[in-house]
Structure formats: C-alpha cells, structure tokens
Amino acid sequence: MVKINGNDCDVSGMTISEYLATTDYDPKIIAVECNEEIVPKAKYDETVIQNGDVIEVVSFVGGG
Amino acid sequence: MESIPTKEEMLQALEERHGKELQSKFNNASVAICGLGGLGSNIAIVLARAGVGKLYLFDFDKVDLSNLNRQQYSVSQLGMYKTDALKENLHQIAPYVNVVTHTVRITENNIKELFDETDIICEAFDRPEEKAMLVNGITENFADKYLVAGSGMAGISSANSIKTRKIAKHFYLCGDETSDVSDGIGLVASRVMVCAAHQAHMVLRIIAEEFEV
C-alpha cells in the first residue's frame, strides 16, 4: 500500500506518470514529493511507486 | 530630521533586539525573492528589517495601480520597475542592506544561472504555473538550497487557515493551499501579509538553524 496525500492507495508498481494520468491533477501546476524528496519532472516516467512509499502531490493555486 | 544612522549604530540596535549571535547569522545570510508582488515585497521588507545582509530581488514587472491594495509600493512609484522601487524602499528602512536586482522573467531556461550565490529562495509568484516551475526547477538544479513557497492566500477567509508546512527536506509551503485568486475572490493585504510573514519567518528560522516549522 502507498500513502498519497494521506490516503491509502493501491498504486505500487505504477510510475508517477501512470498514477497522475488516473487523477485530475493539472501537470503544469504540481510538484510531487516522494519520501521527503521532490521528484524531478523528467523522472515521472521512470519513477516506479514502491510499496510503503509516502507521496504528496502539491497542487499550487494562484495569488501572490 | 535626524541624519541617517551609521552602519555600526544600525547593527547595535539590531543586536539589542535579536541578540548578537542571531544577528550575526542574519547579517551573513543571503536570500533570493522571486516575484515582488504582495508576497515578495512584504517578505523583502521583513528580511531587511531583521538585518539580513544580502537580498536578491527578481521581477520583470512594473508597479501598477492595481498593486497598491497589497504591495509595498507608493503612488509616486507607479510605472517603475518593481526591482528598482523595492530597492529604494528597502534602503529607506535598512540603508546598509546589500540589494541585488534582476529585472528578468525567471524561466526553465535561465533558472540554472540565477541562484548560485544564495542559500535560501522564496517563491513569491502570482500564477500557479510559475510557482510549480520554480519549485520543480530549484529542486532539480539546486537540491541543497532551501525553498520557501506560498500557495493559497486569496479571499477574505480566516487568517488562521494560513499555515507553514515542511513538505520535503528543503522545501516549505506556506498558505491555506486552496484559496485560488482565479476563482474571483480577490486578494486583500492582510491575508497576503499573513502568508508573506509565514514565509519570511520560516526563512529567518532556517537562517537561525531551526529547521522545523
């Protein structure tokens, strides 16, 4: 099992890209953190989500 | 009017407030501020008041009438580049702060060249695409630098919903993370300043080697 934004998700074995494709996140406004490291965008295709990973998708909102 | 205090007098006044040890850390720090709107202009003023030694200011835009509801500029500065106007204002507050201005738009292409000399970077852009670009670009190119970003300070909701979270080892996020200016809820100075204060305070904590929120 994998924790994503606090929820248990059965996505181990998927890449970050494959997981994001199942969601409504807009890839242009997010950063993905996995086990306390930000995953470089260029590595979304090759980073395979492992059982026990703790992931957070940060989706930015406008204003500043 | 009294004459401008000397560098030594300014330092002494700061040391009386902050203590010598902490002040020495502030003096020796350098911080980059990306975007000089409601977040960035307020963050810069807080850091200059604290006596942070060197500030790098990044913005390509000019001061507009629509900025004055929340950004630290005056009517006499309308039409000026924000970099130049904020530098002027910072030097009114802290005449000896070293301010380096870059009147450029930060993009994926130039990001590698802009942040060599600073340890801590504040994300203070307006648009979510630019926020994400900076956060991803900094963490990819400068993994050792600290990044403090802002997301979610629009509207008139409670100021208490704005928080600081540590997301990754070197990445902190301030804001309520949900209120989006594109929903037409506006931006008021008080709430933007709360978020800017969270960001500036986290920067000062990092400089003080206090890395938890």
Side-chain angles (χ1 to χ4, degrees):
Chain A
M1 204 55 81
V2 177
K3 273 253 195 267
I4 302 185
N5 291 29
N7 300 315
D8 288 328
C9 299
D10 189 12
V11 296
S12 57
M14 291 172 98
T15 64
I16 301 274
S17 292
E18 286 166 348
Y19 164 69
L20 290 173
T22 69
T23 70
D24 293 331
Y25 287 115
D26 175 353
K28 292 193 294 298
I29 60 167
I30 62 168
V32 178
E33 172 263 336
C34 180
N35 304 331
E36 302 202 349
E37 305 277 359
I38 301 289
V39 182
K41 285 208 156 183
K43 295 202 171 159
Y44 286 4
D45 283 345
E46 60 189 74
T47 303
V48 178
I49 300 171
Q50 310 288 331
N51 201 23
D53 279 353
V54 178
I55 292 174
E56 176 162 358
V57 182
V58 175
S59 189
F60 292 95
V61 291
Chain B
M1 203 171 83
E2 290 184 27
S3 61
I4 293 171
T6 65
K7 196 171 181 179
E8 290 67 33
E9 287 170 330
M10 296 283 302
L11 179 61
Q12 199 186 349
L14 287 167
E15 285 175 344
E16 279 174 23
R17 283 287 176 265
H18 300 146
K20 273 198 176 191
E21 193 188 331
L22 188 55
Q23 194 56 48
S24 165
K25 289 177 180 171
F26 290 170
N27 286 353
N28 292 322
S30 64
V31 180
I33 301 168
C34 304
L36 304 177
L39 294 176
S41 63
N42 280 296
I43 292 167
I45 284 177
V46 172
L47 299 181
R49 285 196 192 281
V52 170
K54 195 166 185 180
L55 296 175
Y56 293 84
L57 307 181
F58 294 88
D59 202 300
F60 62 89
D61 211 356
K62 291 176 176 172
V63 179
D64 182 81
L65 186 55
S66 65
N67 301 150
L68 297 185
N69 76 320
R70 68 191 190 284
Q71 305 185 17
Q72 296 292 350
Y73 304 102
S74 57
V75 282
S76 65
Q77 293 177 318
L78 290 171
M80 282 177 76
Y81 282 113
K82 290 183 179 178
T83 44
D84 296 333
L86 190 57
K87 183 177 182 177
E88 192 174 275
N89 296 347
L90 294 175
H91 279 148
Q92 288 287 322
I93 294 164
Y96 306 105
V97 61
N98 187 349
V99 179
V100 180
T101 57
H102 292 277
T103 308
V104 293
R105 185 189 280 274
I106 298 171
T107 68
E108 282 171 353
N109 300 322
N110 65 13
I111 198 165
K112 284 181 203 157
E113 302 147 28
L114 297 174
F115 299 104
D116 278 342
E117 293 170 34
T118 176
D119 307 322
I120 305 174
I121 298 157
C122 284
E123 180 284 313
F125 289 142
D126 191 35
R127 293 173 52 240
E129 293 83 0
E130 290 192 304
K131 289 175 181 289
M133 179 276 296
L134 189 73
V135 169
N136 286 298
I138 294 295
T139 49
E140 280 170 38
N141 292 294
F142 303 100
D144 293 339
K145 296 189 191 283
Y146 289 92
L147 177 63
V148 183
S151 181
M153 76 303 297
I156 198 74
S157 295
S158 170
N160 288 345
S161 56
I162 291 172
K163 294 184 167 60
T164 302
R165 282 202 305 136
K166 187 175 184 179
I167 305 263
K169 269 184 221 132
H170 288 185
F171 173 44
Y172 302 82
L173 184 64
C174 305
D176 66 24
E177 302 185 38
T178 54
S179 62
D180 190 339
V181 75
S182 70
D183 292 335
I185 53 179
L187 284 164
V188 292
S190 43
R191 213 157 181 274
V192 175
M193 288 168 85
V194 171
C195 189
H198 268 264
Q199 289 184 259
H201 192 63
M202 196 62 236
V203 168
L204 293 178
R205 282 181 57 75
I206 292 166
I207 295 169
E209 298 173 87
E210 301 281 351
F211 299 107
E212 298 309 314
V213 298

